[in-house]
Amino acid sequence: MSKTTFNIDGMHCASCAIRIEAAFSKTVGVQSANVNYALAEATIEFDPEKVQEHTLHQIVQKEGYRVRQMEQHMEHEGHSEQHAHGSEKEVLTRAIFAGVVALPVLIIAMARLKFGPEIFGEQLSDWIEAIGGTYVVIGTGMVFHKAAFRQMLRRTASMDSLISLGTLAALLMSWWAFAVNQPKYFETAAIITAFILIGRYLEARSKGQASAAIQKLLELGAKFAHKRFPDGSIQDVSIESLKKGDIVLVKPGEKIPIDGTIKDGASSVDESMLTGESLPVSKKIGDLVYGATLNQQGALTVEVEKESGDTVLSQIVRLVKEAQQKKAPIQKLVDRVSAVFVQAVIVIAVVTFVIWFLVTRDPASSLIAAVAVLVIACPCALGLATPTAILVGTGRGAQMGILIKSGEALERGRTLNVVMFDKTGTLTIGKPVVTDIITVEGENSLEVLRLAASIESLSEHPLAHAVVMKANDEKITLQTPKDFRSITGKGIEAKVGEAMVRVGQSRWMDELSITLSPILHQTLTKLSGEGKTVVIVARDLQAIGVIGIADAVKPGAKETIERLKQKGIGVVMITGDQKQTAEAIARQLGIEDVRSQVFPDQKLEIVKEAQSRGQKVAFVGDGINDAPALTQADLGIAVGSGTDIAIEAGQIVLVGGGPEKVIQAIEISRRTNRTIKQNLFWAFIYNVIGIPLAALGLLNPVIASAAMAFSSISVVLNSLRLKRMKM
């Protein structure tokens, strides 16, 4: 199967998108088709042996629309002026012309002005009114009539059909009235056209703002890199030309051009554009750095690991675009309504005209009511309600390092009863760190740490690494030990200066007749009870302190658990750790439901068990050994890193940051869903109330057209509020 995505110009309402989508679906070889009205994009999966891509383009053209190929390698061209919604400048120009010409027509009609000489029996003011109104409807409004005519030839209809029918009917009636010296409605036809064109411009501009998140992400990327060649020379090259293994120089204050590994130098890097975290991250030789992040201090020499199309930024852009292209489940209902909406409105308008004429025998008033029905109906608002909210919600999430992979994920986030956390790497850091240093009276904790770290620096054990890292954090200068010896399963010993220093288990200390003071003995018992690994530090056969080491709780984890409980969401912690260790971590976090000594395949059963009780489950894991549980859960939230952002199992991927992002993801989901419901309510209620009022003659067509234009804009503006949501 092949997949293609291209822009479609000329769509003016939801029914346009539905009709094109239906045409694709009827084509042999097309497996799936999704036409997104808000993005003006089509995404097609097809069998290239049965249908060619140019055939898909021809289908769009036969339906009366235009295909515009998307920019290749768009992720490197954030400055491109091409966007999915066509040329705003073109729409604005048409709207300005319509407004400038329609305004004098309106003034002449409303003020009943009469001036100028008679021409063919009518005064100049009447001719200005007639010709000006005709120019607005036929000239600036030709875009509606062309589209309506093409659709009529194919026995279909859209929003353009409603506008064309309404304005042409008012125009023709006005020319008839002009000929027989009856009241005319040129200003009505002209102002309707002008209002709708102005509304189209405002809608296009608002939709552009709604989908601006991807554009902003694209603009973050660097365009050039300082490439170092084998002869030592440095030359500026485009990032598209970089290959894996190339060496680039990144100066202080510059953006890192592409994903790679630091070969020389150290610095702090601002990764907020990827993770949403404001604090810079320290980087040293061997660390990964990511394209578009900002090098703040030292110069870095970086070896390229990913080519331009495979960078973390590219993956993020791809995931966000895919999420915005997919339809939320609630959109299916809207599509069913939109598919018959235009035809139903035309029938209502015809019935309105007939009933009014039968009652009043006045074709003018009958026509006014029918025109009001045609121009107040708005399938656009229905079509924009869901996709614009998803556009803004997913874009806001991406800015915070929360990648929402579909509209369905947004819907699922609002109904959760319980969140299950895999402990390691989500609630805890995922590697051992020093948590406690307790000394006997008269000893300094930093001196105890210095002695322990000096001999641990020669050990490869993960616990030894934790002690050395703690010393580095405290900026302690270590001594080179002598006569280093490792005793398997017990500990290590070496000379630091003139003292023999030993670090190891209490059992080994007993063998060496090294006794612990009461304070150290109590501390050993206490820390062991908390599930921590405890090592004793001895100097010349005297115990001087103990060091507690554990997989530390992540900052913000406890607050996250508390906030979930406040929202009425239950919390479960799942881990492969021993019961004592698991319960110690759970006590720190305030989690009552703990499942310990769980194998990866058992996590799936725990999720299923909760679902069998009717609970809606979110599972938070690292996306590797948690994949079955992430897939089974109602909402899978994968904790991603720079190397595995495109995790397939999770429906939401959290890039960097701490557990608080789980709360933020749920909040984005709930607020986006709330916005979708608000949009749909107003779109439906607008049509449900507006069409009957127009049919009853209680709405002037001019007011109806203004209301119609505003309805679409109001839906988009409501969605745009999501850009400002605070967490």
Side-chain angles (χ1 to χ4, degrees), residues 11-14 17 35-41 85 203 207 380 383-384:
M11 290 195 297
H12 297 310
C13 69
V35 180
N36 189 308
Y37 168 53
L39 283 172
E41 277 182 11
H85 307 298
E203 180 188 315
K207 283 199 292 182
C380 304
L384 289 168

Side-chain angles (χ1 to χ4, degrees), residues 9-50:
D9 289 337
M11 290 195 297
H12 297 310
C13 69
S15 54
C16 299
I18 293 165
R19 189 170 58 257
I20 298 169
E21 197 171 283
F24 283 138
S25 300
K26 293 174 186 173
T27 304
V28 175
V30 172
Q31 184 177 25
S32 67
N34 176 27
V35 180
N36 189 308
Y37 168 53
L39 283 172
E41 277 182 11
T43 302
I44 318 294
E45 284 189 74
F46 63 98
D47 184 345
E49 293 184 2
K50 296 180 180 177

Side-chain angles (χ1 to χ4, degrees), residues 254-274:
E254 290 185 337
K255 288 180 180 177
I256 292 167
I258 203 159
D259 296 7
T261 304
I262 297 175
K263 291 299 177 185
D264 187 34
S267 182
S268 292
V269 177
D270 179 358
E271 296 185 342
S272 59
M273 51 74 58
L274 289 180

